[in-house]
Amino acid sequence: MKFTVQNIVASSALGLELELYTIAAKIPNVEYEPEQFPGAILKLNEPKSSLLLFKNGKVICTGTRSEKEVKRALKRTLELLKPYGKKTKEFRANPAFAIQNIVASSTLGLELDLYNIASSLHEVEYEPEQFPGAILKLKDPKSSLLLFKNGKVICTGTKSEKEVDRALKKTLALLKPLAEKK
């Protein structure tokens, strides 16, 4: 099933002890306000992403749209930070990362009757006075899907593109009997 990845959130450990005050002073596009948040925020233009940096060298990368972009963002971040960090024994030139969340969008090709779906499926929440979409929660793969009347869907909570595909296919199978074809 076709979908577009909108955002990937990944975590990694750079193997560096970071001096966040120095990094914020020396590197452009770094914000650090320790009274508000214990980490610094680095914004990269290429690949377009934001990274939360912590003193212990742990980072959270967000805003990328592929694993390749996550790798590039981490490599670029490491290049920028190496002069301002102390290497630890965990240091690697290409740090490993773990995907924590993928947000993807798709179109089911169905007109959805959200009231009917919410009353037919117990794993669906729909409160139109609060939000125009219904929320479908799947246990396998663990994910939440925002469903809209026009058949558009936003899938979140998955940790791989394979899981996104499985969640969307499962959603389509659940909703097809309850929907009208466009």
Side-chain angles (χ1 to χ4, degrees):
M1 187 166 188
K2 278 180 57 175
F3 60 87
T4 304
V5 172
Q6 302 296 336
N7 184 32
I8 294 179
V9 177
S11 60
S12 182
L14 299 178
L16 293 173
E17 285 179 24
L18 301 175
E19 180 42 62
L20 299 178
Y21 281 109
T22 305
I23 289 166
K26 304 263 185 182
I27 300 175
N29 300 324
V30 174
E31 295 172 28
Y32 182 48
E33 296 180 36
E35 20 344 292
Q36 290 184 20
F37 184 72
I41 302 166
L42 167 64
K43 293 186 188 274
L44 296 178
N45 290 326
E46 189 49 43
K48 189 164 175 38
S49 53
S50 294
L51 292 99
L52 297 178
L53 313 173
F54 298 95
K55 288 178 186 174
N56 63 4
K58 297 224 186 307
V59 295
I60 297 172
C61 176
T62 185
T64 58
R65 292 177 177 233
S66 69
E67 287 191 36
K68 192 174 174 182
E69 284 186 10
V70 172
K71 282 181 189 162
R72 283 184 29 231
L74 290 172
K75 196 162 178 74
R76 176 117 171 72
T77 300
L78 198 55
E79 288 167 14
L80 285 169
L81 300 180
K82 237 192 303 188
Y84 309 105
K86 185 177 151 206
K87 288 183 185 179
T88 67
K89 63 181 188 242
E90 291 83 27
F91 178 82
R92 302 283 178 274
N94 291 307
F97 63 90
I99 292 177
Q100 302 301 324
N101 184 30
I102 294 178
V103 178
S105 60
S106 186
T107 304
L108 298 175
L110 303 169
E111 193 73 30
L112 301 178
D113 178 346
L114 299 178
Y115 284 106
N116 183 34
I117 290 167
S119 62
S120 301
L121 301 173
H122 72 276
E123 53 272 305
V124 174
E125 293 173 29
Y126 182 48
E127 297 188 34
E129 50 291 330
Q130 290 183 13
F131 184 71
I135 303 166
L136 168 64
K137 294 193 180 207
L138 296 178
K139 285 189 171 94
D140 182 36
K142 190 171 185 320
S143 55
S144 294
L145 295 99
L146 300 178
L147 311 172
F148 297 94
K149 185 178 176 1
N150 63 3
K152 295 218 189 279
V153 121
I154 296 171
C155 177
T156 185
T158 57
K159 294 183 187 259
S160 70
E161 289 191 27
K162 197 176 195 173
E163 284 185 4
V164 172
D165 188 58
R166 279 183 44 228
L168 290 170
K169 284 178 177 166
K170 192 170 190 174
T171 299
L172 185 58
L174 280 170
L175 300 182
K176 221 173 194 175
L178 304 172
E180 297 279 322
K181 279 225 189 276
K182 279 188 182 177

